[in-house]
Amino acid sequence: QLQLVESGGGLVQPGGSLRLSCAASGFTLDYYAIGWFRQAPGKEREGISCISSSDGTTLYADSVKGRFTISRDNAKNTVYLQMNSLKPEDTAVYYCAALRTYHSGSYCQLEYYGMDYWGKGTLVTVSS
């Protein structure tokens, strides 16, 4: 089946680190831009980072810039989100989403609309 599966979430102390993975099953990510989104209780979904399909273009929300790093390994059909210096306000369910990019290998977006595939999310809790 065509799906994305997130993993790597869990409980971490403030200042700690986690590495999230987004693995594709049933299709390859070579021609997809990938975004990471999160949703905290009572808040709207927030785009936090994305990476383009081909040229390595990345975007970061101001809230995570300098702390989070997105990367991809197309050979492994997986996208990663390295999260450092975690704060309690980073607590949320984290989702990855894939957007088919037919004409641009440099495009990615932090908006949720139009995505072709979504994972079911992985919970990150930052608390002491």
Side-chain angles (χ1 to χ4, degrees):
Q1 300 297 317
L2 307 181
Q3 60 182 5
L4 296 173
V5 179
E6 303 95 337
S7 62
L11 175 64
V12 64
Q13 295 187 160
S17 298
L18 284 175
R19 187 195 193 198
L20 305 183
S21 297
C22 172
S25 177
F27 69 104
T28 62
L29 292 176
D30 297 37
Y31 303 105
Y32 291 82
I34 304 296
W36 282 99
F37 302 80
R38 67 185 182 186
Q39 188 163 24
K43 296 185 177 180
E44 295 185 349
R45 182 167 31 184
E46 175 190 19
I48 57 172
S49 187
C50 66
I51 186 167
S52 64
S53 62
S54 297
D55 73 347
T57 298
T58 58
L59 295 174
Y60 297 92
D62 288 342
S63 58
V64 306
K65 193 173 299 181
R67 299 188 297 121
F68 292 9
T69 303
I70 191 171
S71 62
R72 67 188 299 156
D73 187 342
N74 284 352
K76 296 183 178 180
N77 219 23
T78 301
V79 174
Y80 306 97
L81 184 68
Q82 179 66 46
M83 306 187 296
N84 299 326
S85 302
L86 284 163
K87 305 174 181 179
E89 51 263 44
D90 294 318
T91 296
V93 177
Y94 284 71
Y95 303 89
C96 65
L99 175 67
R100 184 72 164 88
T101 53
Y102 292 94
H103 305 295
S104 177
S106 62
Y107 177 82
C108 75
Q109 64 181 57
L110 297 179
E111 294 75 35
Y112 66 86
Y113 54 81
M115 295 295 186
D116 296 295
Y117 302 103
W118 283 91
K120 294 183 178 180
T122 185
L123 177 63
V124 172
T125 302
V126 184
S127 176
S128 58

